Amino acid sequence: MWNTHQSWTQEHETAFSVFMERDFHAEIFSSPSSEFYGLKTDCADAVYAARIIFAAKNGLPVQFADPTKSGSYINQKMSRWDHQTESQRLRSFLEYVSDLSSTYTLELDTYPVQISKEGFRPGVIFLSPHLSEEEKRRTGFNGGHAEYVKSITDTGFVEVISSTSPRLVRTLSQSRNPYMAPLLKRAGYRIWKQPGHYGLRLEQLPNYGLNQFDLAEWAPLKLINRRQIFQWHEEIRRLLRIRIPSFEERVEVVVESICGLLKTRAKLVHQGWSTVAANGNRCLSGDLRDEFSTDSRDKRIRDAYLQVRDLYDWKKRTDGDSDLAGDVSDGRTLLEQCRFEHWPGRQTTAWEMASRSLQGDLISSADYAPAVRWGDRRPAGKDCR
């Protein structure tokens, strides 16, 4: 696949962290100027792709569990694409691993990382594996997501970068406002196994640790509401930060996430309805419908607005104003600074969308026209056929 001339060391892991922070950018698969333009990804695909690209560029080996055969592994020694050019071989290998990889295989190829300033860095993975039907019923979560740590601020805020399902060519998402905590010990922050790590006890591996499961009264399937999730990540931030963030910085992180989610939602709503129109006004189905529907995104938007309320509520109580409840309107000035085009030629702000989100007026389904999805009019049957 590619020639290897060295083995992984901790120095290479440090270089991988630098690569993740500086070179693994949001448009690596969606920009025509990128060497890897056009690769389709879901969340697990993007995670594997970054590791493979770095290894190939640096003459390092890779090894991943082969889900088709117990005890077997996928590595760069495969010869089925030897007739292709070097760049074609790399793309073929990326697509091959993409077809086989998932959040399930990520459990096998990674291990829990000790949360510390020394071992926690860009290139760490947050994994939320798929849950059983009973676990879904108990928590309201489906699981099945993975994302990379891209950067860490001096206040301990962790910026992540990720793709999502279904598998498509897309610009990756970035956020500093997490929306889930580990529900099981096979979830949470994890780091890659190197090829020589398979078969070793986890306790023998560099930076292995379970202290993330000692935080915020963690227990299996417990941290499911936004305040529990916030508290767990706040304790992570305490372990990572160099200085305490100001109240204003905390609010800015949440508003930044609301703004990013709304802007991406605007693109999805527009693209989705344009696709319906191009399809003779027929409703979308399968992956296309999933791609342009915004169920999980709309829940995250609503929860983030409630986070703004929570933060101002906390601030007032801290300041001694216990008789005054915090409200989303306390963040109006910041929310008004987020302007975006929610439909070609029509501008709005995150503040104007706050009440619509909180009242449930934002419609997630791609079966409806933009006016319905943004709450300008109530749904009255599907707008497609």
Side-chain angles (χ1 to χ4, degrees), residues 268-285 288-289 292 365-370 373 382-385:
L268 291 172
V269 170
H270 175 56
Q271 292 170 358
W273 197 243
S274 296
T275 305
V276 169
N279 195 38
N281 206 46
R282 289 188 294 273
C283 294
L284 306 177
S285 60
L288 269 181
R289 188 177 188 278
F292 296 121
S365 171
D367 292 338
Y368 294 95
R373 296 192 64 181
K382 294 180 181 181
D383 292 320
C384 54
R385 57 183 175 83

Side-chain angles (χ1 to χ4, degrees), residues 203-384:
E203 293 80 4
Q204 297 176 269
L205 304 184
N207 295 318
Y208 166 79
L210 296 172
N211 66 336
Q212 61 188 293
F213 303 108
D214 298 327
L215 307 177
E217 301 181 352
W218 186 92
L221 306 179
K222 179 181 179 181
L223 307 184
I224 58 175
N225 67 50
R226 72 175 186 282
R227 289 178 176 169
Q228 291 171 321
I229 293 167
F230 174 87
Q231 190 56 46
W232 186 80
H233 284 282
E234 180 63 11
E235 296 198 24
I236 295 283
R237 289 191 281 268
R238 287 195 186 107
L239 293 174
L240 299 178
R241 70 191 181 198
I242 298 170
R243 66 175 180 88
I244 298 172
S246 68
F247 172 75
E248 291 73 20
E249 286 175 313
R250 291 181 183 277
V251 177
E252 285 170 4
V253 166
V254 180
V255 172
E256 172 191 86
S257 74
I258 292 172
C259 194
L261 288 164
L262 286 170
K263 287 179 177 179
T264 304
R265 185 186 198 273
K267 292 178 182 177
L268 291 172
V269 170
H270 175 56
Q271 292 170 358
W273 197 243
S274 296
T275 305
V276 169
N279 195 38
N281 206 46
R282 289 188 294 273
C283 294
L284 306 177
S285 60
D287 283 353
L288 269 181
R289 188 177 188 278
D290 291 344
E291 170 69 4
F292 296 121
S293 295
T294 53
D295 303 76
S296 60
R297 182 175 301 276
D298 291 346
K299 181 182 184 302
R300 287 175 63 186
I301 291 169
R302 185 177 188 277
D303 283 350
Y305 278 121
L306 292 173
Q307 274 186 281
V308 173
R309 187 193 70 184
D310 292 345
L311 284 168
Y312 279 100
D313 196 55
W314 169 78
K315 177 74 162 56
K316 291 178 180 180
R317 286 188 286 105
T318 302
D319 291 345
D321 296 329
S322 56
D323 294 334
L324 298 173
D327 191 79
V328 174
S329 62
D330 294 318
R332 177 172 180 167
T333 300
L334 279 175
L335 290 166
E336 285 181 332
Q337 292 173 15
C338 170
R339 296 194 63 83
F340 64 99
E341 192 174 64
H342 70 303
W343 189 245
R346 298 183 64 183
Q347 292 275 328
T348 189
T349 69
W351 165 247
E352 291 168 357
M353 285 295 146
S355 61
R356 298 186 186 193
S357 173
L358 294 171
Q359 292 169 10
D361 292 336
L362 299 185
I363 304 301
S364 304
S365 171
D367 292 338
Y368 294 95
V372 174
R373 296 192 64 181
W374 288 109
D376 293 325
R377 65 174 172 86
R378 302 297 298 172
K382 294 180 181 181
D383 292 320
C384 54

